Amino acid sequence: MGNSCSNHLGIPPAKGPNQVGCTDFMMDHTAQGSFFRLYYPCQETEKAEKPDWVPSMEYFYGLADFMKINRTLSEKIFEYLFGSYKIPAYMDAPFKSNENCPVVIFSHGLGAFRTLYSAICAELASRGFIVASVEHRDESASATFYFHEKTEPDLTQESLPKTSSAAVQDDLVKEWIYYRTLKRGEREFPLRNKQVKQRADECILALDKLTEINSGAAVQNVLQTQFDWTTLENSMDLCRTAVMGHSFGGATVIEALCKEVKFKCGVALDAWMFPLDDEVFPRVKQPIFFINSEKFQWAGNISRMKKLDSEVVQRKMITIRGTVHQSFPDFTFLTGNWIGKLLKLKGEIDPELAIDLSNKATLAFLQRHLGLEKDFNQWDPLIDGQDENLIPGTNVIVLQSAI
C-alpha cells in the first residue's frame, strides 16, 4: 500500500516514558451518540499492531469533497501519498498506568476526523494522559459514520461485503455523514455557530462517557473492539480535565469551556474564532492557552482572541515561527518538502521541531492549571514564548480599537 519513496516520512513516535495504546469507542450507535478514538498509556505488548492512519476509504472520499476535487482521482492520489502510514500507538493494547490519569478531550478542525492529530494525542498519552479525540457528527468532519437499525430493504443487502474491520452488531447498518459545503447564497455564520455548539456538546458527551467508564458502569461499545473497557475503572483523575483542539476545534475549546466547568483549562491550536458568539467570551472563566501558527492568523481573528484577555485568570498566547495552519495535524509529517509546501501542509520550520514546541508548551500549561505533579514545568518558559522559534503573543499587528 501507499508511498514506497517515503522511508524518512512518518508520524513521529511519542517521547514520553509510557508506551501508547489506542482504541475506538462508539456509544450509542445513533448520530446522537459519542464517537472517539481513545489514546492511553499501555502495557508493552508483542501482539498489538499499529492501525492505519486513515481508517477506511470513505475518509479519503470525504477529504476529496472537502477539497472540492474528484473522488476517483483523489482516491488514487491519497492512497499513493498516505495509504501506507500508521498511527504511533498500538491498537487495543492493554491499559497500564501506575496512577490516575488526567483527561484531555480533543476536537479536530474543519474537514478533519478523529485520527488526524495522532502525533499530539499520542504524545499526551505517553506522558500519562488519557485522551479522547472526538469525531464530530456536525457535518464538519470530512467523513464520519453511525449506524441505524436494519429495515426490510437492508436485509436484501446482506451479501454485500463489510467495509470496516471493527465488528458490529448484526442488526445494525453503517451510515456515512460527509462534509457539508455551504449552499449557494448561504450565510456562513449561522451554520458554523450551530456546528460549534454541537461540537462542544459532543466534547462534553465524551467526558460524560469517560466518567461512566471510570465509575465501573457497564458500557456497550457498538464497535466491539478487543479492548477491555473494565480495565479503565478508577483509572482517571476527573478533577483534572482539559479540552484542546485545532482551528474549528480551537473555537470548540472556547465554547466547551463556556458550557462545562468540569474542563479546568483549554488549549486552542491556531483557533478559528469566527464561529463563536460574542456573548460567549465574558462567560469563560477558565485559563486558556492560544498556540498560533505564523502564517494563518489575521487581525480580526486575533482581536477576538484578545477579547478573552483577563486580569483575573491566565490567558496566554504564543506563535511558532515558520509554521502554517497545517503544522498541527499529522499531514505535515507525511509529505516531502515540495508537495508539503505546495499544498501548504508544511512551513519553513522542521515540522517535528514545531510539534515538539507545541506539545511541550501544552504539557507545561496543563501541569500549571491542572495541578499535576510532573516535570513538565521544565518547559514553563515556552508558555511565555521564550525560545528562538517562538514569538510571545502574536506576529499580527492588531489596532487597539479593533479589540
Coordinates of all heavy atoms in Angstrom, one line a residue, residues 219-301:
V219 N -20.5 -0.6 30.0 CA -20.7 0.2 28.7 C -20.7 -0.7 27.5 O -20.1 -1.8 27.5 CB -19.5 1.2 28.5 CG1 -19.5 2.3 29.6 CG2 -18.2 0.6 28.4
Q220 N -21.6 -0.3 26.6 CA -21.8 -1.0 25.4 C -21.1 -0.3 24.2 O -21.5 0.7 23.8 CB -23.3 -1.2 25.1 CG -23.6 -1.9 23.8 CD -23.5 -3.4 24.0 OE1 -23.9 -3.9 25.1 NE2 -23.0 -4.1 23.1
N221 N -19.9 -0.8 23.8 CA -19.2 -0.2 22.7 C -19.7 -0.8 21.4 O -19.6 -2.0 21.2 CB -17.7 -0.4 22.8 CG -16.9 0.2 21.7 OD1 -17.5 1.0 20.9 ND2 -15.6 -0.1 21.6
V222 N -20.4 0.0 20.6 CA -21.0 -0.6 19.4 C -20.0 -1.2 18.5 O -20.3 -2.2 17.7 CB -21.7 0.6 18.6 CG1 -22.4 0.1 17.3 CG2 -22.7 1.3 19.5
L223 N -18.7 -0.7 18.5 CA -17.7 -1.2 17.6 C -17.1 -2.6 18.0 O -16.3 -3.2 17.3 CB -16.6 -0.2 17.4 CG -17.1 1.1 16.8 CD1 -16.0 2.2 16.8 CD2 -17.7 1.0 15.4
Q224 N -17.4 -3.0 19.2 CA -17.0 -4.4 19.7 C -15.5 -4.6 19.4 O -15.1 -5.6 18.7 CB -17.9 -5.5 19.0 CG -19.3 -5.3 19.4 CD -20.2 -6.4 18.8 OE1 -19.9 -7.1 17.9 NE2 -21.5 -6.4 19.2
T225 N -14.7 -3.7 19.9 CA -13.2 -3.9 19.7 C -12.7 -4.9 20.7 O -13.4 -5.4 21.6 CB -12.5 -2.6 20.0 OG1 -12.8 -2.2 21.3 CG2 -13.0 -1.5 19.0
Q226 N -11.4 -5.2 20.6 CA -10.8 -6.2 21.6 C -10.4 -5.6 22.9 O -10.0 -6.3 23.8 CB -9.5 -6.7 20.9 CG -9.7 -7.5 19.6 CD -10.6 -8.7 19.8 OE1 -10.4 -9.5 20.6 NE2 -11.7 -8.7 19.0
F227 N -10.5 -4.3 23.0 CA -10.1 -3.6 24.2 C -11.0 -3.9 25.4 O -12.2 -3.9 25.3 CB -10.0 -2.1 24.0 CG -9.5 -1.3 25.1 CD1 -8.2 -1.3 25.5 CD2 -10.4 -0.5 25.9 CE1 -7.7 -0.6 26.5 CE2 -9.9 0.2 27.0 CZ -8.5 0.2 27.3
D228 N -10.4 -4.1 26.6 CA -11.2 -4.4 27.8 C -11.5 -3.1 28.5 O -10.6 -2.6 29.3 CB -10.4 -5.4 28.7 CG -11.2 -5.8 29.9 OD1 -12.3 -5.3 30.1 OD2 -10.6 -6.6 30.7
W229 N -12.7 -2.6 28.4 CA -13.0 -1.3 29.0 C -13.1 -1.4 30.5 O -13.0 -0.3 31.2 CB -14.4 -0.8 28.4 CG -14.2 -0.4 27.0 CD1 -14.4 -1.2 25.9 CD2 -13.8 0.9 26.5 NE1 -14.1 -0.5 24.7 CE2 -13.7 0.8 25.1 CE3 -13.4 2.1 27.1 CZ2 -13.3 1.8 24.2 CZ3 -13.0 3.1 26.3 CH2 -13.0 3.0 24.9
T230 N -13.3 -2.5 31.1 CA -13.4 -2.6 32.5 C -12.0 -2.3 33.2 O -12.0 -1.9 34.4 CB -13.8 -4.1 33.0 OG1 -12.8 -5.0 32.6 CG2 -15.1 -4.5 32.4
T231 N -10.9 -2.4 32.4 CA -9.6 -2.0 33.0 C -9.5 -0.5 33.3 O -8.5 -0.1 33.9 CB -8.4 -2.5 32.1 OG1 -8.6 -1.8 30.8 CG2 -8.4 -4.0 31.9
L232 N -10.4 0.3 32.7 CA -10.3 1.7 32.9 C -11.1 2.2 34.2 O -11.1 3.4 34.5 CB -10.9 2.5 31.7 CG -10.0 2.4 30.4 CD1 -10.7 3.1 29.3 CD2 -8.6 2.9 30.7
E233 N -11.7 1.2 34.9 CA -12.4 1.6 36.1 C -11.4 2.2 37.1 O -10.3 1.7 37.3 CB -13.1 0.4 36.8 CG -13.9 0.7 38.0 CD -14.6 -0.5 38.5 OE1 -14.7 -1.5 37.9 OE2 -15.2 -0.3 39.6
N234 N -11.8 3.4 37.6 CA -10.9 4.2 38.6 C -9.5 4.5 38.0 O -8.6 4.6 38.8 CB -10.8 3.4 39.9 CG -12.2 3.3 40.6 OD1 -13.0 4.2 40.6 ND2 -12.4 2.1 41.2
S235 N -9.4 4.7 36.7 CA -8.1 4.9 36.1 C -7.9 6.4 35.9 O -6.8 6.8 35.6 CB -8.0 4.2 34.7 OG -9.0 4.8 33.9
M236 N -9.0 7.2 36.0 CA -8.9 8.6 35.5 C -9.0 9.6 36.7 O -9.7 9.3 37.7 CB -10.0 8.9 34.5 CG -9.9 8.1 33.3 SD -11.4 8.3 32.2 CE -11.8 6.6 31.8
D237 N -8.3 10.7 36.6 CA -8.4 11.8 37.6 C -9.3 12.8 37.0 O -8.8 13.7 36.3 CB -7.0 12.3 37.9 CG -7.1 13.4 39.0 OD1 -8.2 13.8 39.4 OD2 -6.0 13.7 39.6
L238 N -10.6 12.7 37.2 CA -11.6 13.5 36.5 C -11.7 14.9 37.1 O -12.5 15.8 36.6 CB -13.0 12.8 36.5 CG -13.0 11.6 35.6 CD1 -14.2 10.7 35.9 CD2 -12.9 11.9 34.1
C239 N -11.0 15.2 38.2 CA -10.8 16.6 38.7 C -9.8 17.3 37.9 O -9.6 18.5 38.0 CB -10.4 16.6 40.2 SG -11.7 15.8 41.2
R240 N -9.1 16.6 37.0 CA -8.0 17.2 36.2 C -8.3 16.9 34.7 O -7.8 16.0 34.2 CB -6.6 16.7 36.6 CG -6.3 17.1 38.1 CD -4.9 16.7 38.5 NE -4.4 17.4 39.7 CZ -4.7 17.0 40.9 NH1 -5.4 15.9 41.1 NH2 -4.2 17.7 41.9
T241 N -9.2 17.7 34.2 CA -9.7 17.5 32.8 C -9.5 18.8 32.0 O -9.9 19.9 32.5 CB -11.2 17.1 32.9 OG1 -11.3 15.9 33.7 CG2 -11.7 16.9 31.5
A242 N -9.0 18.7 30.8 CA -8.8 19.8 29.9 C -9.5 19.5 28.6 O -9.7 18.4 28.2 CB -7.4 20.1 29.8
V243 N -9.7 20.6 27.8 CA -10.2 20.5 26.4 C -9.2 21.1 25.5 O -8.6 22.2 25.9 CB -11.6 21.0 26.3 CG1 -11.7 22.5 26.7 CG2 -12.2 20.8 24.9
M244 N -9.0 20.5 24.4 CA -8.0 21.0 23.4 C -8.5 20.8 22.0 O -9.3 19.9 21.7 CB -6.7 20.2 23.7 CG -5.5 20.5 22.8 SD -4.1 19.5 23.4 CE -2.8 20.2 22.4
G245 N -8.1 21.7 21.1 CA -8.5 21.5 19.7 C -7.7 22.4 18.7 O -7.1 23.3 19.1
H246 N -7.9 22.1 17.4 CA -7.2 22.8 16.4 C -8.2 23.5 15.5 O -9.2 22.9 15.1 CB -6.3 21.9 15.6 CG -5.7 22.5 14.3 ND1 -6.0 22.1 13.0 CD2 -4.9 23.5 14.2 CE1 -5.3 22.8 12.2 NE2 -4.6 23.7 12.8
S247 N -8.0 24.8 15.1 CA -8.8 25.5 14.1 C -10.2 25.6 14.6 O -10.5 26.3 15.6 CB -8.6 24.8 12.8 OG -9.1 25.6 11.8
F248 N -11.1 25.0 13.9 CA -12.6 24.9 14.3 C -12.6 24.3 15.7 O -13.4 24.6 16.6 CB -13.4 24.1 13.3 CG -14.9 24.4 13.3 CD1 -15.7 23.9 12.3 CD2 -15.5 25.2 14.3 CE1 -17.0 24.2 12.3 CE2 -16.8 25.5 14.3 CZ -17.6 25.0 13.3
G249 N -11.7 23.3 15.9 CA -11.6 22.7 17.2 C -11.1 23.7 18.3 O -11.4 23.5 19.5
G250 N -10.4 24.7 17.9 CA -10.0 25.8 18.8 C -11.2 26.6 19.3 O -11.3 26.9 20.5
A251 N -12.1 26.9 18.4 CA -13.3 27.6 18.7 C -14.1 26.7 19.6 O -14.8 27.1 20.6 CB -14.1 28.0 17.5
T252 N -14.1 25.4 19.3 CA -14.9 24.4 20.1 C -14.4 24.4 21.6 O -15.2 24.2 22.5 CB -14.7 23.0 19.5 OG1 -15.1 23.1 18.1 CG2 -15.6 22.0 20.2
V253 N -13.1 24.6 21.7 CA -12.5 24.7 23.1 C -13.2 25.8 23.9 O -13.6 25.6 25.0 CB -10.9 24.9 23.0 CG1 -10.4 25.4 24.4 CG2 -10.2 23.6 22.5
I254 N -13.3 27.0 23.3 CA -13.8 28.1 24.0 C -15.3 27.9 24.3 O -15.8 28.1 25.4 CB -13.7 29.4 23.1 CG1 -12.3 29.6 22.5 CG2 -14.2 30.6 23.8 CD1 -11.2 29.7 23.5
E255 N -16.1 27.3 23.3 CA -17.5 27.0 23.6 C -17.6 26.0 24.7 O -18.5 26.1 25.5 CB -18.1 26.6 22.2 CG -19.6 26.3 22.3 CD -20.4 27.6 22.2 OE1 -20.0 28.6 21.7 OE2 -21.6 27.6 22.8
A256 N -16.8 25.0 24.6 CA -16.9 23.9 25.6 C -16.6 24.4 27.0 O -17.2 24.0 28.0 CB -16.0 22.7 25.3
L257 N -15.5 25.3 27.1 CA -15.2 25.9 28.4 C -16.4 26.7 29.0 O -16.6 26.7 30.2 CB -14.0 26.8 28.3 CG -12.6 26.1 28.1 CD1 -11.5 27.1 27.7 CD2 -12.2 25.2 29.3
C258 N -17.0 27.4 28.1 CA -18.2 28.2 28.5 C -19.3 27.3 29.0 O -20.0 27.7 30.0 CB -18.7 29.0 27.3 SG -20.1 30.0 27.6
K259 N -19.5 26.2 28.4 CA -20.7 25.3 28.7 C -20.4 24.3 29.9 O -21.3 23.8 30.5 CB -21.0 24.4 27.5 CG -21.8 25.2 26.4 CD -22.2 24.2 25.3 CE -23.3 24.8 24.4 NZ -23.8 23.9 23.4
E260 N -19.1 24.0 30.1 CA -18.8 22.9 31.1 C -17.7 23.3 32.0 O -16.5 23.3 31.6 CB -18.5 21.6 30.3 CG -18.2 20.4 31.2 CD -19.3 20.2 32.3 OE1 -20.3 19.6 31.9 OE2 -19.1 20.7 33.4
V261 N -18.0 23.6 33.3 CA -16.9 24.0 34.2 C -16.0 22.8 34.6 O -15.0 23.0 35.2 CB -17.5 24.6 35.5 CG1 -18.2 25.9 35.1 CG2 -18.5 23.7 36.2
K262 N -16.4 21.6 34.3 CA -15.5 20.4 34.6 C -14.2 20.5 33.8 O -13.2 19.9 34.2 CB -16.2 19.1 34.3 CG -17.4 18.7 35.3 CD -18.1 17.5 34.8 CE -19.3 17.2 35.7 NZ -20.2 16.2 35.1
F263 N -14.2 21.2 32.7 CA -13.0 21.5 32.0 C -12.3 22.6 32.7 O -12.7 23.7 32.8 CB -13.3 21.9 30.5 CG -13.8 20.8 29.7 CD1 -15.0 21.0 29.0 CD2 -13.2 19.6 29.5 CE1 -15.6 20.0 28.2 CE2 -13.7 18.6 28.7 CZ -14.9 18.8 28.0
K264 N -11.1 22.3 33.3 CA -10.4 23.2 34.1 C -9.6 24.2 33.3 O -9.2 25.2 33.9 CB -9.5 22.4 35.1 CG -10.3 21.5 36.1 CD -11.2 22.3 37.0 CE -11.8 21.5 38.1 NZ -12.7 20.5 37.7
C265 N -9.2 23.9 32.1 CA -8.5 24.8 31.2 C -8.6 24.3 29.8 O -9.1 23.2 29.5 CB -7.0 24.9 31.7 SG -6.1 23.4 31.5
G266 N -8.2 25.2 28.9 CA -8.2 24.8 27.4 C -7.0 25.2 26.7 O -6.3 26.2 27.0
V267 N -6.6 24.5 25.7 CA -5.5 24.8 24.8 C -6.1 24.8 23.3 O -6.6 23.8 22.8 CB -4.4 23.7 24.9 CG1 -3.3 24.0 23.9 CG2 -3.9 23.6 26.3
A268 N -6.0 26.0 22.7 CA -6.5 26.2 21.4 C -5.4 26.4 20.4 O -4.6 27.4 20.5 CB -7.4 27.5 21.4
L269 N -5.2 25.5 19.5 CA -4.2 25.5 18.5 C -4.7 26.2 17.2 O -5.6 25.7 16.5 CB -3.8 24.0 18.1 CG -3.4 23.1 19.3 CD1 -3.2 21.7 18.9 CD2 -2.1 23.7 20.0
D270 N -4.1 27.3 16.9 CA -4.4 28.1 15.7 C -5.9 28.2 15.6 O -6.5 27.9 14.5 CB -3.8 27.5 14.5 CG -3.0 28.5 13.6 OD1 -2.8 29.6 14.1 OD2 -2.7 28.1 12.5
A271 N -6.6 28.7 16.6 CA -8.0 28.8 16.7 C -8.6 29.6 15.6 O -8.1 30.7 15.2 CB -8.5 29.2 18.0
W272 N -9.7 29.2 15.0 CA -10.6 29.9 14.1 C -11.7 30.4 14.9 O -12.6 29.6 15.2 CB -11.0 29.0 12.9 CG -11.9 29.6 11.9 CD1 -11.7 30.8 11.3 CD2 -13.0 29.0 11.3 NE1 -12.7 31.0 10.3 CE2 -13.5 30.0 10.4 CE3 -13.7 27.8 11.5 CZ2 -14.7 29.7 9.6 CZ3 -14.9 27.6 10.8 CH2 -15.3 28.5 9.8
M273 N -11.8 31.7 15.2 CA -12.7 32.3 16.2 C -14.1 32.6 15.6 O -15.0 32.9 16.3 CB -12.1 33.5 16.8 CG -10.7 33.2 17.5 SD -10.9 32.1 18.9 CE -11.6 33.2 20.1
F274 N -14.2 32.6 14.3 CA -15.4 33.1 13.6 C -16.7 32.4 14.1 O -17.7 33.1 14.2 CB -15.2 32.8 12.0 CG -16.4 33.1 11.2 CD1 -16.9 34.4 10.9 CD2 -17.2 32.0 10.7 CE1 -18.0 34.6 10.1 CE2 -18.3 32.2 10.0 CZ -18.7 33.5 9.7
P275 N -16.7 31.1 14.4 CA -18.0 30.5 14.7 C -18.6 30.9 16.0 O -19.8 30.6 16.3 CB -17.7 29.0 14.8 CG -16.4 28.9 14.0 CD -15.6 30.1 14.2
L276 N -17.9 31.7 16.9 CA -18.3 31.9 18.2 C -19.2 33.2 18.3 O -18.9 34.2 17.7 CB -17.1 32.1 19.2 CG -16.3 30.8 19.3 CD1 -14.9 31.1 19.9 CD2 -17.0 29.8 20.2
D277 N -20.2 33.1 19.2 CA -21.0 34.3 19.6 C -20.2 35.2 20.5 O -19.5 34.7 21.3 CB -22.2 33.9 20.4 CG -23.3 33.3 19.5 OD1 -23.7 33.9 18.5 OD2 -23.9 32.3 19.9
D278 N -20.3 36.5 20.3 CA -19.5 37.4 21.2 C -19.9 37.3 22.7 O -19.1 37.5 23.5 CB -19.8 38.9 20.8 CG -18.9 39.3 19.6 OD1 -18.1 38.6 19.2 OD2 -19.2 40.4 19.1
E279 N -21.1 36.9 22.9 CA -21.5 36.8 24.4 C -20.9 35.6 25.1 O -20.9 35.5 26.3 CB -23.1 36.7 24.5 CG -23.6 35.4 24.0 CD -24.7 35.6 22.9 OE1 -24.5 36.5 22.1 OE2 -25.6 34.7 22.8
V280 N -20.2 34.7 24.3 CA -19.5 33.6 25.0 C -18.3 34.1 25.7 O -18.0 33.6 26.8 CB -19.1 32.5 23.9 CG1 -18.0 31.6 24.4 CG2 -20.3 31.8 23.4
F281 N -17.6 35.1 25.2 CA -16.3 35.5 25.7 C -16.3 35.8 27.2 O -15.5 35.3 28.0 CB -15.6 36.6 24.9 CG -15.5 36.2 23.4 CD1 -15.8 37.1 22.4 CD2 -14.9 35.0 23.1 CE1 -15.7 36.8 21.1 CE2 -14.8 34.6 21.7 CZ -15.1 35.5 20.7
P282 N -17.2 36.7 27.7 CA -17.1 37.1 29.1 C -17.6 35.9 30.0 O -17.3 36.0 31.2 CB -18.1 38.3 29.2 CG -19.0 38.2 28.0 CD -18.2 37.5 26.9
R283 N -18.2 34.9 29.5 CA -18.7 33.8 30.3 C -17.7 32.7 30.5 O -17.9 31.8 31.3 CB -20.0 33.2 29.7 CG -21.1 34.2 29.8 CD -22.3 33.9 28.8 NE -22.7 32.5 28.9 CZ -23.4 31.8 27.9 NH1 -23.7 32.5 26.8 NH2 -23.7 30.6 28.0
V284 N -16.5 32.8 29.8 CA -15.5 31.7 30.0 C -14.6 32.1 31.2 O -14.0 33.2 31.2 CB -14.6 31.6 28.7 CG1 -13.5 30.5 28.9 CG2 -15.5 31.2 27.6
K285 N -14.5 31.3 32.2 CA -13.8 31.6 33.5 C -12.5 30.9 33.6 O -11.7 31.1 34.6 CB -14.7 31.3 34.7 CG -16.1 31.9 34.6 CD -16.1 33.4 34.6 CE -17.5 34.0 34.6 NZ -17.5 35.4 34.2
Q286 N -12.2 29.9 32.7 CA -11.0 29.0 32.9 C -9.8 29.6 32.2 O -10.0 30.4 31.2 CB -11.3 27.6 32.4 CG -12.5 26.9 33.1 CD -13.8 27.1 32.3 OE1 -14.1 28.2 31.8 NE2 -14.5 26.0 32.1
P287 N -8.6 29.2 32.6 CA -7.4 29.6 31.8 C -7.4 29.0 30.4 O -7.9 27.9 30.1 CB -6.2 28.9 32.6 CG -6.8 28.7 34.0 CD -8.3 28.4 33.8
I288 N -6.8 29.8 29.4 CA -6.8 29.4 28.0 C -5.4 29.7 27.5 O -4.8 30.7 27.8 CB -7.8 30.2 27.2 CG1 -9.2 30.0 27.7 CG2 -7.7 29.7 25.7 CD1 -10.2 30.9 27.1
F289 N -4.9 28.8 26.7 CA -3.6 28.9 26.0 C -3.8 28.9 24.5 O -4.2 27.9 24.0 CB -2.7 27.8 26.5 CG -1.2 27.9 26.1 CD1 -0.7 29.1 25.6 CD2 -0.3 26.9 26.3 CE1 0.7 29.3 25.3 CE2 1.0 27.0 26.0 CZ 1.5 28.2 25.5
F290 N -3.5 30.0 23.8 CA -3.6 30.0 22.4 C -2.2 29.8 21.8 O -1.2 30.5 22.1 CB -4.0 31.4 21.9 CG -5.5 31.7 22.2 CD1 -5.8 32.6 23.3 CD2 -6.5 31.1 21.5 CE1 -7.1 32.9 23.5 CE2 -7.9 31.4 21.8 CZ -8.2 32.3 22.8
I291 N -2.0 28.7 21.0 CA -0.7 28.4 20.4 C -1.0 28.6 18.9 O -1.8 27.8 18.3 CB -0.3 27.0 20.7 CG1 -0.1 26.8 22.2 CG2 1.1 26.7 19.9 CD1 0.4 25.4 22.6
N292 N -0.4 29.6 18.3 CA -0.8 30.0 16.9 C 0.4 29.7 15.9 O 1.5 29.6 16.3 CB -1.1 31.5 16.8 CG -2.3 31.9 17.6 OD1 -3.2 31.0 17.9 ND2 -2.5 33.1 18.0
S293 N 0.0 29.5 14.7 CA 1.0 29.5 13.6 C 1.3 30.9 13.1 O 0.5 31.8 13.3 CB 0.5 28.6 12.4 OG -0.5 29.3 11.7
E294 N 2.4 31.0 12.5 CA 2.9 32.3 12.0 C 2.1 32.8 10.8 O 1.8 34.0 10.6 CB 4.4 32.3 11.7 CG 4.9 33.7 11.4 CD 6.4 33.7 11.2 OE1 7.1 32.6 11.1 OE2 7.0 34.8 11.1
K295 N 1.6 31.9 9.9 CA 1.1 32.3 8.6 C -0.4 32.3 8.6 O -1.0 32.9 7.6 CB 1.6 31.3 7.5 CG 3.1 31.2 7.4 CD 3.7 32.4 6.9 CE 5.2 32.2 6.6 NZ 6.0 33.5 6.7
F296 N -1.2 31.8 9.5 CA -2.6 31.7 9.4 C -3.4 32.9 9.9 O -4.4 33.2 9.4 CB -3.1 30.4 10.1 CG -4.6 30.2 10.1 CD1 -5.3 29.9 9.0 CD2 -5.3 30.3 11.3 CE1 -6.7 29.7 9.0 CE2 -6.7 30.2 11.4 CZ -7.4 29.9 10.2
Q297 N -2.9 33.4 11.0 CA -3.7 34.4 11.8 C -3.8 35.8 11.1 O -2.9 36.1 10.3 CB -3.1 34.5 13.2 CG -3.2 33.3 14.0 CD -4.7 32.9 14.3 OE1 -5.6 33.7 14.2 NE2 -4.9 31.6 14.6
W298 N -4.8 36.5 11.4 CA -5.1 37.8 10.9 C -5.7 38.7 12.0 O -6.1 38.2 13.0 CB -6.0 37.8 9.6 CG -7.4 37.3 9.9 CD1 -8.5 38.1 10.0 CD2 -7.8 35.9 10.0 NE1 -9.6 37.3 10.2 CE2 -9.2 36.0 10.2 CE3 -7.2 34.7 9.9 CZ2 -10.0 34.8 10.4 CZ3 -7.9 33.6 10.1 CH2 -9.3 33.6 10.3
A299 N -5.7 40.0 11.8 CA -6.0 40.9 12.9 C -7.4 40.7 13.4 O -7.6 40.7 14.7 CB -5.9 42.4 12.3
G300 N -8.4 40.4 12.6 CA -9.8 40.2 13.1 C -9.9 39.0 14.0 O -10.6 39.0 15.0
N301 N -9.1 37.9 13.6 CA -9.2 36.7 14.4 C -8.5 36.9 15.8 O -9.0 36.5 16.8 CB -8.5 35.6 13.6 CG -9.1 34.2 14.0 OD1 -10.3 34.0 14.1 ND2 -8.2 33.3 14.3

